[in-house]
Amino acid sequence: GDKVKQSPSALSLQEGTNSALRCNFSIAATTVQWFLQNPRGSLINLFYLVPGTKENGRLKSTFNSKESYSTLHIRDAQLEDSGTYFCAAEAPQGGRALIFGTGTTVSVSP
Amino acid sequence: EAAVTQSPRNKVAVTGGKVTLSCNQTNNHNNMYWYRQDTGHGLRLIHYSYGAGSTEKGDIPDGYKASRPSQENFSLILELATPSQTSVYFCASGPGTSSQNTLYFGAGTRLSVL
């Protein structure tokens, strides 16, 4: 939604290339989570971030709370990286629920 | 790995009928959430709960009720289903009180209201 804006909305990658996804927040996000929705529709948690950076294999994510954005970097893209990536921000109120962006659909081709 | 199970996985309902979507988690998480996912909107929060007996309104609660009879179970109830409620519904759970409230999602329920 408008509180969490993701860009780009879609991305086509060739295997082996690198790319970055971005989320901008218009709310005071305290933490950020990144999810991958696979072609079966399952939501897989990739990262839980307080301000700072985390890395897991070919994925690296940063959350900058002062400038209200988060990024997800994909290095050496593989076919299995295809799917829709969602970022979600935890706002200070509301049961620690997450506010989701509208997603970036990534297609990786050989 | 947290386990969140939703049932049914697919449901076809008639307009005006009552629909109950069920969610069970086996990780003793305090917080549970119901979201719906529609094209162009991402996931939007309908109701959430802090624990047994608690239900709170999320961002789009109109037309929905929730019930949390136990720590493990959280239901979403559509008393009078309408075609606009056709969507994919996701349940999630999270520790809530701990410093890292990682959310774990169920596989989703695809609801069609005809």
Side-chain angles (χ1 to χ4, degrees):
Chain A
D2 292 336
K3 297 177 181 177
V4 178
K5 287 190 177 178
Q6 278 189 252
S7 61
S9 57
L11 193 55
S12 293
L13 299 175
Q14 286 218 299
E15 268 188 310
T17 60
N18 306 330
S19 192
L21 286 58
R22 185 175 174 108
C23 278
N24 290 309
F25 309 113
S26 60
I27 55 172
T30 55
T31 66
V32 172
Q33 296 183 39
W34 282 90
F35 296 86
L36 169 60
Q37 188 168 38
N38 64 22
R40 291 182 58 195
S42 297
L43 284 157
I44 301 161
N45 192 292
L46 299 175
F47 290 104
Y48 178 100
L49 294 160
V50 294
T53 297
K54 281 189 177 178
E55 196 162 353
N56 184 3
R58 295 178 294 101
L59 300 179
K60 179 178 175 181
S61 186
T62 296
F63 171 36
N64 185 322
S65 58
K66 290 182 180 177
E67 297 184 25
S68 299
Y69 75 87
S70 180
T71 56
L72 177 69
H73 291 263
I74 304 173
R75 175 174 55 81
D76 185 25
Q78 302 297 305
L79 297 177
E80 61 263 29
D81 295 332
S82 295
T84 301
Y85 290 79
F86 290 97
C87 67
E90 179 180 337
Q93 70 283 352
R96 305 195 66 186
L98 296 177
I99 303 169
F100 280 78
T102 51
T104 296
T105 300
V106 173
S107 299
V108 181
S109 56
Chain B
E1 180 73 19
V4 180
T5 305
Q6 293 182 232
S7 63
R9 293 296 314 281
N10 293 280
K11 173 77 177 177
V12 178
V14 295
T15 298
K18 182 176 180 178
V19 177
T20 300
L21 307 183
S22 299
C23 180
N24 175 275
Q25 54 100 0
T26 58
N27 295 282
N28 201 31
H29 284 167
N30 290 320
N31 290 14
M32 295 185 75
Y33 311 86
W34 277 106
Y35 288 87
R36 62 178 283 176
Q37 182 178 24
D38 304 287
T39 304
H41 288 281
L43 279 80
R44 292 180 290 172
L45 181 66
I46 306 170
H47 283 289
Y48 61 96
S49 167
Y50 291 109
S54 146
T55 61
E56 307 291 336
K57 294 181 180 179
D59 297 325
I60 53 164
D62 292 347
Y64 302 94
K65 286 184 176 179
S67 173
R68 182 90 181 267
S70 64
Q71 182 81 336
E72 297 79 19
N73 294 296
F74 190 38
S75 298
L76 187 68
I77 302 150
L78 290 66
E79 294 278 6
L80 294 168
T82 69
S84 65
Q85 293 175 313
T86 293
S87 187
V88 180
Y89 292 84
F90 286 94
C91 174
S93 73
T97 55
S98 72
S99 60
Q100 180 159 322
N101 191 45
T102 301
L103 262 60
Y104 296 92
F105 281 83
T109 295
R110 187 172 296 273
L111 173 66
S112 296
V113 183
L114 306 178

